[in-house]
Amino acid sequence: MNKWSNREELLTHVRAQMHDKRYQHTLGVAESASLLAKRYGADPLKAELAGFLHDYCKCWPVDKMFEILVRHDMPIELLEGEKELWHAFAAAIVIQSELGVTDPEILQAVRYHTTGRQGMTLLEKVVCVADYIEPNRNYPGVEEIRALALHDLDAALSHALGGTIRFLIEKQKTVYPLTLIAYNDLVSRKGRVGGFNG
Ligand code: DGI
Ligand code: FE
Ligand code: FE
């Protein structure tokens, strides 16, 4: 857990970044991520920590996130795209520079928790699915994703991302390329011998 061996101290920092509803969601994601990690063989402590940190910047002003992303040479498609995506990429930077989190697996799980990407690691999938199914989540279709997550993490993730893509298209919003790539990657591996990467 890097210098944050004391979880209460870490959570004090997390809590200071967000309103209470977002903090309750954060705790829910950490709990669900830990359970999924145990079920699928990822590291539960890393999953929990990534859950605590994944929305660290979610309630920050967009100007502050934008400035951080520009300073770290993020791609133009991100800077010109949907602002909803910024908090994930900003958090991966900020938890390293401000909180001293160095574990690349945790940083990647935070960075890709919203968009997904090609060839997601087990920890990335765990955190992304936990974000969709934590106990406070309540949207049409959540029960189906919760049920899938009990026995097929990839199916849960492809359904979750598919639902987001459908939602974005219905709202005539752009779909970030990584999200489509993540979805295609999961669906095309389905059923292939040695298909799922873990
Ligand atoms: O931060 P949370 O609300 O817990 O969840 P999240 O990090 O998955 O953010 C999801 C929001 O991002 C959701 O309202 C949809 C929006 N969004 C906008 N464009 C995209 C997108 N989500 C994905 N996955 N891909 C997009 O292109
Ligand atoms: Fe998020
Ligand atoms: Fe979240």
Side-chain angles (χ1 to χ4, degrees), residues 60-168:
W60 284 21
V62 286
D63 293 356
K64 189 171 171 183
M65 286 191 268
F66 185 77
E67 196 259 314
I68 291 165
L69 297 176
V70 169
R71 221 178 333 118
H72 287 79
D73 295 323
M74 288 293 134
I76 193 76
E77 64 193 3
L78 180 67
L79 302 175
E80 289 184 346
E82 188 53 62
K83 295 178 178 57
E84 278 283 342
L85 306 178
W86 291 357
H87 73 284
F89 293 85
I93 295 165
V94 170
I95 62 172
Q96 185 165 20
S97 60
E98 290 186 9
L99 301 181
V101 176
T102 54
D103 187 319
E105 287 187 73
I106 293 172
L107 296 175
Q108 303 278 65
V110 171
R111 179 174 296 122
Y112 296 110
H113 86 262
T114 306
T115 57
R117 64 161 169 163
Q118 173 101 26
M120 290 173 77
T121 66
L122 178 58
L123 193 72
E124 287 168 24
K125 292 174 183 176
V126 159
V127 174
C128 196
V129 170
D131 199 12
Y132 278 99
I133 66 167
E134 63 92 5
N136 302 294
R137 284 289 201 212
N138 183 16
Y139 55 86
V142 68
E143 287 308 337
E144 190 188 355
I145 299 170
R146 284 196 180 111
L148 286 170
L150 293 174
H151 63 91
D152 189 338
L153 188 65
D154 282 45
L157 185 52
S158 65
H159 273 73
L161 291 175
T164 295
I165 292 167
R166 204 179 304 122
F167 168 84
L168 292 168

